[in-house]
Amino acid sequence: DAGITQSPRYKITETGRQVTLMCHQTWSHSYMFWYRQDLGHGLRLIYYSAAADITDKGEVPDGYVVSRSKTENFPLTLESATRSQTSVYFCASRGDWHEQYFGPGTRLTVT
Amino acid sequence: GENVEQHPSTLSVQEGDSAVIKCTYSDSASNYFPWYKQELGKRPQLIIDIRSNVGEKKDQRIAVTLNKTAKHFSLHITETQPEDSAVYFCAALMNAGNMLTFGGGTRLMVKP
C-alpha cells in the first residue's frame, strides 16, 4: 500500500477555486484511476489513464480535468470547485492481473 | 454499460456466524470479479478476487463463488469476528473495457 500516495489528505476550498489533487505510485503500473466516494453512491469512476498521455472519461467526469505526463503521477484538477464536488477522492493503480490498489484518499470540502 | 447490484446493503451477524453478500452483474463478457473491504476512514483493500474460468476460490475464512450462467457472484465469510466489521464492495471488470464497476456496498456489523 505504501506504493501509492495521495496529497493532500485533507483540503478545504471555496466555491469557484481551482484545486489539484495529487496521486503518485511507485510500481510503474500503466493504468491509474480516480474515483470519488459519496454516501449512498459507493465508488464512482471519474477518469482513468491507460498510460502516459492517454486518459479517458469514466462515469462522472464533468467538472474534472486530468493529465498524465509521467507514468508515476496522475493529478486530478477541479477547475472551478462546486459544493457538489465535496467528497472523498481515491486514486488507484492497476497491477498485471487487473487488481486495483487504492491510495489513502483525499477528503475534499468545498465551502 | 455495466451495472453491478449488491445485496444486502446492511448485514448484522453474531460473532461466529457466517455472512453472505451477493452481487449480480449485467455484462456477460465480464471476466474478473474482485471484493474489497473498507474500514471506517480507510482505503478500500482487495481481499479476494475470482476470474471467470473458476467457480470458487477460498482464502482462509473467506470464499467467493461465481455463477456465470446466472451472472452473479457471492462473498462468504465464515466464523465472523468483530474485526470483519466494515463495508464490503464487489466489482466487475468488463472484458472489452478497462474499468471496474462497483456495487453499492454492504455494511457488515459483527456483534461480539
Side-chain angles (χ1 to χ4, degrees), chain A residues 1 4 31 33 35 37 42-43 45 48 90 94 97-100 102-104, chain B residues 32 36 38 41-46 49 51 89 93 98-100 102-104:
Chain A
D1 288 345
I4 183 165
Y31 279 85
F33 306 83
Y35 296 89
Q37 185 173 38
L43 290 156
L45 182 66
Y48 71 99
F90 287 101
R94 194 180 88 181
W97 301 98
H98 294 297
E99 71 280 17
Q100 288 191 17
F102 286 82
Chain B
Y32 173 66
Y36 287 83
Q38 186 177 29
K42 300 293 181 63
R43 72 187 84 188
Q45 293 200 307
L46 178 68
D49 55 16
R51 300 175 198 276
F89 291 97
L93 181 73
N98 300 296
M99 301 179 289
L100 284 178
F102 286 84

Side-chain angles (χ1 to χ4, degrees), chain B residues 23-91:
Chain B
C23 289
T24 60
Y25 59 98
S26 58
D27 187 350
S28 58
S30 293
N31 59 4
Y32 173 66
F33 308 91
W35 286 89
Y36 287 83
K37 175 184 179 182
Q38 186 177 29
E39 297 176 353
L40 189 63
K42 300 293 181 63
R43 72 187 84 188
Q45 293 200 307
L46 178 68
I47 56 171
I48 195 168
D49 55 16
I50 192 167
R51 300 175 198 276
S52 57
N53 57 343
V54 298
E56 183 176 6
K57 184 177 179 180
K58 289 183 179 180
D59 184 3
Q60 298 183 343
R61 294 187 297 108
I62 61 173
V64 57
T65 58
L66 171 64
N67 184 325
K68 290 185 294 181
T69 302
K71 290 190 287 185
H72 67 70
F73 56 111
S74 300
L75 178 71
H76 305 253
I77 305 174
T78 59
E79 301 174 16
T80 54
Q81 300 167 5
E83 52 265 38
D84 294 330
S85 296
V87 178
Y88 292 81
F89 291 97
C90 64

